[in-house]
Amino acid sequence: MKRRYIYVMLLLGIALFISGCAKYLEEKPNKRISTPDQLSDLQGIINNYFAMNAQYPSLGEIGADNYYLTDAGWASSTEKQRNFYLWQKFEDTAVEWNFSYKVIFNANLVLETLSTLELSAGQQAEARILKGQALFLRAYYHLALAQLFAPAFQLRGSNEGAGIPLRLSSDVEEPSVRSSIKENYQQIFKDVNEAVKYLPEKSVGKYLANQTAGYALLSRLYLLTGSYSQAAMYADSCLQQNSVLINYNTLSTTAAAPFAQFNAEVLYDCRTAVPAILAQTRAKMDPGLYDAYGTNDLRKILFFKRNTDGSYAFKGNYTGLSTAVMFSGLAVDEVLLNRAECYVRLGRLVEAAIDLNTLLAKRYKTGTFTPITFIDGENALKTVLVERRKELLFRNLRWSDLRRLNQDAVSAVTLNRTINSKVYTLIPGDARYVLPIDRTVILLSGMQQNP
């Protein structure tokens, strides 16, 4: 019976989840008591930004290599965040686990309820869109969980190891068991591919998934699984519908938050509350990364602010709030970089250079950018990966990139951190790239814990 309580923590936190929701959520917090019975009820669930879009897990960003802490900054952080910064096993991951499964729970509730409603002909189109958005959300958060609590997808492996539990029902009594890594990705792919069939080309707000966002997610998925032809193809499908890039020359270099929420590049808006350890007062930019930006690269000014001690803090958040939240959605620049990397890996160097030059021309001061020409694949890949890191930092992508890139000696990175004169190291393929599942979940479910 223990295994039936994988959602125990979810249910304990349901009051937090429903706060601020539409009238339906205030009146019907538990499916056992009542269920939504109108399309407006279901739209109320999907539209609840703070419950469905604002809870993306951030532990991977804590463990990534875009920043460092001083001894004092580390000491003043919470025990949990200190441990994850140093890649130490710490089995308190309830917040990240529960928030993601809450979104999945509600996506399942929407899908199940849609199948029971008697709809008029005029309601069919709205119902199809709701189905697509629910499938997208279920896939998005299953993927987020897999990046933390399951091993990376092995480009040259069977992927039969333990992944995350796939929740495909809102029934909290249904036992949860860990599916294989392969099954995780098969289900995520299935959900996104089906979602794209139902999603509209445009949505009423960027917090709601549309077809373009679905293509962007497929591009990310295929890149993570090493299917470069497909990743490039879906990136192309996405960019055919929306390829708008912000000209950074039009932005204020002195603004505390230079980028607006729902800006022109955002395809799907999702965010994370910035963990205290990543606050501007603590997290200092990796000097090597900061120095990699050219003199005329506007990202060097728009992304960072200088601290009084000469270090730099990050401010270039696509959420419009530089200090409070972290963008964790999908954007045109990521998709363009996906395609550029895939083109390099496929030997299409001219096309890769075109994509990279298209991006960088919008990032440098007007008249100062010299287009890049690729001659050999190895240097091309190195250049694209460096630009990917420089463009997409603090978007909850670097941890996933490290996990996939560490499978190739050419792109593998060994991470080092020093606290109180002691050096901590994370080598490529280390078991600590898979985080512990929360101890309470393990205790109540009987599931196998990660090493």
Side-chain angles (χ1 to χ4, degrees), residues 33 106 228 258 304 447:
I33 300 172
N106 281 274
Y228 302 120
F304 310 110
M447 287 192 304

Side-chain angles (χ1 to χ4, degrees), residues 68-197:
Y68 71 94
L69 299 177
T70 63
D71 291 347
W74 180 81
S76 64
S77 301
T78 65
E79 180 187 10
K80 173 180 177 177
Q81 293 179 14
R82 289 199 305 269
N83 275 277
F84 281 108
Y85 176 73
L86 297 178
W87 313 299
Q88 304 300 298
K89 185 172 183 178
F90 196 74
E91 297 181 354
D92 179 6
T93 52
V95 171
E96 292 75 19
W97 183 272
N98 293 335
F99 278 172
S100 296
Y101 276 115
K102 285 176 189 176
V103 177
I104 293 167
F105 171 87
N106 281 274
N108 286 329
L109 183 60
V110 169
L111 291 169
E112 292 164 2
T113 305
L114 279 171
S115 67
T116 67
L117 298 182
E118 294 185 6
L119 303 173
S120 67
Q123 293 176 310
Q124 294 295 331
E126 182 183 354
R128 286 171 60 84
I129 292 172
L130 282 169
K131 182 174 182 178
Q133 289 168 342
L135 286 166
F136 178 94
L137 284 162
R138 187 167 75 179
Y140 204 73
Y141 282 89
H142 271 143
L143 181 61
L145 289 161
Q147 300 313 295
L148 299 179
F149 301 110
F153 186 93
Q154 295 299 305
L155 306 184
R156 292 173 289 276
S158 65
N159 293 296
E160 296 298 337
I164 59 165
L166 290 167
R167 296 299 306 189
L168 307 179
S169 165
S170 66
D171 182 2
V172 298
E173 296 294 340
E174 182 178 297
S176 284
V177 296
R178 298 186 68 169
S179 302
S180 70
I181 303 164
K182 181 179 180 180
E183 290 168 333
N184 283 173
Y185 282 89
Q186 285 176 335
Q187 184 62 51
I188 294 167
F189 271 116
K190 180 181 178 182
D191 280 351
V192 186
N193 277 304
E194 189 175 0
V196 168
K197 298 176 184 177

Side-chain angles (χ1 to χ4, degrees), residues 243-251 258-260 262-266 298 302 318 332-333 358-364 391 395:
S243 60
V244 176
L245 289 170
I246 301 168
N247 185 342
Y248 280 15
N249 288 278
T250 65
L251 302 176
F259 302 96
F262 310 133
N263 67 61
E265 289 186 19
V266 172
L298 290 168
L302 293 167
Y318 268 28
V332 171
D333 54 352
T358 298
L359 175 69
L360 296 180
K362 300 288 188 180
R363 299 323 192 218
Y364 276 68
E391 179 72 18
R395 295 199 194 176

Side-chain angles (χ1 to χ4, degrees), residues 227-247:
S227 299
Y228 302 120
S229 294
Q230 291 92 330
M233 179 184 69
Y234 281 107
D236 189 65
S237 296
C238 173
L239 295 169
Q240 285 185 33
Q241 293 186 348
N242 187 345
S243 60
V244 176
L245 289 170
I246 301 168
N247 185 342

